[in-house]
Amino acid sequence: MISKIKLKLAEISDLDAMQQAGDTLFDYAVKPDRALEFINDPRHHLVLAYDNELIIGMASGFHYIHPDKDPALFINEVSVIEAYQNRGIGREIVQYLCEYGKKLDCTETWVATEQSNTAARKAYVAAGGTEDKEPIVMYVWEY
């Protein structure tokens, strides 16, 4: 039986648990120096989902401003470890991050995903998002 999942914003005290989750939750092993830099940056946000002492889900994002626009929150990444998927945890994490964006006076939150990522698309709609009618084209510069 799964205990109640607890959502919270990441703090420095979460670093050990983040490292334990490692690449089962994040794309790669957590780099402590980068994790501390991220957590200490006031524009970067990381929501963690805990089952007892184990991090089983996360969503990262950042809020930004522009000279002609109000603040917006961009969700960069959402992940739930495989054993906990399809239980609504991704939706809850996204909703938590969106609500946090409102507290930061963001006027919108946005995220992008691949058309083939049906699980993510389902979670984003369940969290209250609406799919943009015009598909995006993404360009990447790798260094």
Side-chain angles (χ1 to χ4, degrees):
M1 183 173 162
I2 297 173
S3 65
K4 177 99 171 103
I5 303 302
K6 176 185 168 196
L7 302 179
K8 68 176 294 252
L9 289 171
E11 300 172 341
I12 292 171
S13 60
D14 296 302
L15 183 57
D16 286 341
M18 289 169 57
Q19 287 180 276
Q20 284 181 326
D23 64 2
T24 60
L25 181 64
F26 297 91
D27 289 337
Y28 308 101
V30 172
K31 297 177 181 181
D33 57 334
R34 294 294 182 213
L36 291 173
E37 182 180 3
F38 188 97
I39 291 169
N40 286 322
D41 187 322
R43 291 199 185 262
H44 285 89
H45 316 289
L46 180 63
V47 176
L48 301 173
Y50 275 90
D51 181 11
N52 294 312
E53 303 299 315
L54 177 69
I55 297 176
I56 53 91
M58 68 89 182
S60 65
F62 59 90
H63 74 280
Y64 59 95
I65 57 172
H66 196 268
D68 64 334
K69 296 174 183 72
D70 290 325
L73 177 71
F74 169 67
I75 298 176
N76 183 54
E77 196 168 330
V78 179
S79 179
V80 176
I81 63 172
E82 190 172 350
Y84 288 80
Q85 292 177 359
N86 297 309
R87 300 180 188 189
I89 297 168
R91 172 186 42 82
E92 290 182 27
I93 296 169
V94 169
Q95 288 173 325
Y96 187 101
L97 192 52
C98 289
E99 288 301 315
Y100 186 66
K102 290 178 188 176
K103 292 177 185 174
L104 297 170
D105 293 325
C106 293
T107 58
E108 70 176 6
T109 298
W110 66 280
V111 65
T113 192
E114 298 81 10
Q115 285 189 327
S116 62
N117 192 341
T118 55
R121 293 171 69 188
K122 179 180 170 184
Y124 300 148
V125 168
T130 56
E131 193 166 305
D132 197 2
K133 300 301 178 212
E134 184 174 356
I136 66 164
V137 177
M138 186 171 87
Y139 298 88
V140 176
W141 287 256
E142 293 187 19
Y143 306 107

